[in-house]
Amino acid sequence: MIVGYANDRGGRDALALGASITRLTGGELTVATIYPPGSPGLAVEAQANLAHAAEELGPTPAGYLTFESRGTGRGLSVLASRIRADLIVVGSASGGQHGRIAIGATSDHLLHRSSEAVMIAPADYEPPEEHDRLTLAYVHRPQCDEAVERVAQAALRFGVPLRLITLDLRTEDPDRLRDDLALAVRLAWETTGIEAESDVAEGHDVVAAMRNVEWLPGELLVCAASEDAEPHRVFLGELAMKMLRASDRPVAVLPRGFS
């Protein structure tokens, strides 16, 4: 995975999350700082940022790269493709509420164009001692059914429970929502043999529904790409974006057709 790092709160949150996920997955960690072209002084500052990151990580193995690009999100996407990263990790934008995710220019670019999965850390993120559960936000559509299989495989591989949640915003037939969720639980079982938990969160809006969900300390929320996403690209829909903003846990967004 690749962590987008700057020597600020969001960069440190992303670094902490990336290191935590690396410990869970056993993957390779690369820390990257992006700087604009034609700025020798900022290139030197980028190298200094990586020195700070190395101090923060301590003995955690990692690679360190600086990369020149006109935009941080675009630079992380290009660099992730070059090193064949599976996941890009960034922090919340500056000025965001404690424990919540604020979307800035970098995360907005990644959430609508990235060809790799994107994970965002809430502001002031503190890694848990262990990861308790993967929770997938589910609605009945092909991209979410694909995500059920992929996230179930990940839960099985990493030895953590899987939960599927659907939001009941009192605009649709609740029985149909529960039936769809039951079929998704069955799909997880048929493809991986994992027994997924399920939950229907009720509320008059997304924020209220998310508050009615019980979250474990070491939980990760996963969202699938919108139906509007191009193949192998992230594009976060309106509902998922509201869930992301309301979450006080890290959120991962999968590209369409993620494998």
Side-chain angles (χ1 to χ4, degrees):
M1 77 180 65
I2 185 168
V3 169
Y5 182 79
N7 190 22
D8 57 18
R9 182 179 70 170
R12 290 186 288 273
D13 292 339
L15 190 65
L17 177 57
S20 178
I21 297 299
T22 299
R23 288 192 292 271
L24 172 67
T25 64
E28 296 181 2
L29 175 63
T30 297
V31 183
T33 294
I34 310 300
Y35 65 94
S39 305
L42 293 179
V44 173
E45 183 179 325
Q47 292 287 353
N49 282 344
L50 293 184
H52 286 295
E55 291 178 4
E56 291 278 340
L57 283 178
T60 302
Y64 298 91
L65 294 172
T66 60
F67 189 72
E68 184 180 84
S69 176
R70 294 188 179 279
T72 301
R74 182 179 183 278
L76 287 172
S77 293
V78 172
L79 189 55
S81 295
R82 290 188 180 180
I83 67 172
R84 298 184 178 180
D86 302 299
L87 176 66
I88 300 173
V89 181
V90 294
S92 178
S94 60
Q97 180 183 354
H98 170 77
R100 292 290 189 270
I101 294 173
I103 304 300
T106 297
S107 49
D108 184 67
H109 176 98
L110 294 171
L111 291 173
H112 293 95
R113 298 182 184 180
S114 176
S115 55
E116 290 78 29
V118 177
M119 185 177 289
I120 306 181
D124 303 311
Y125 175 73
E126 294 185 8
E129 292 184 3
E130 59 183 22
H131 291 278
D132 297 311
R133 184 166 60 192
L134 291 176
T135 287
L136 173 66
Y138 182 81
V139 294
H140 185 51
R141 52 185 174 84
Q143 281 89 322
C144 274
D145 288 337
E146 290 180 2
V148 168
E149 298 183 38
R150 300 296 180 259
V151 179
Q153 290 166 357
L156 187 66
R157 176 183 174 187
F158 302 139
V160 296
L162 170 65
R163 179 175 62 162
L164 309 178
I165 63 169
T166 288
L167 302 190
D168 180 359
L169 305 181
R170 301 170 185 171
T171 58
E172 299 184 63
D173 179 0
D175 290 334
R176 184 179 64 79
L177 292 176
R178 286 169 172 77
D179 289 344
D180 290 344
L181 191 58
L183 289 174
V185 169
R186 180 178 176 180
L187 176 62
W189 169 257
E190 290 177 343
T191 54
T192 63
I194 195 169
E195 295 186 16
E197 307 168 43
S198 64
D199 194 3
V200 176
E202 299 180 355
H204 63 276
D205 60 19
V206 172
V207 173
M210 291 286 282
R211 285 176 180 164
N212 289 330
V213 178
E214 179 184 354
W215 299 96
L216 300 176
E219 189 145 19
L220 298 173
L221 175 62
V222 183
C223 297
S226 164
E227 292 178 325
D228 296 325
E230 298 176 10
H232 309 296
R233 293 278 180 178
V234 167
F235 188 91
L236 198 61
E238 182 180 357
L239 177 63
M241 181 67 80
K242 290 179 179 178
M243 293 185 70
L244 182 148
R245 293 179 186 274
S247 176
D248 60 359
R249 299 293 186 271
V251 179
V253 185
L254 306 181
R256 184 175 179 180
F258 180 79
S259 61

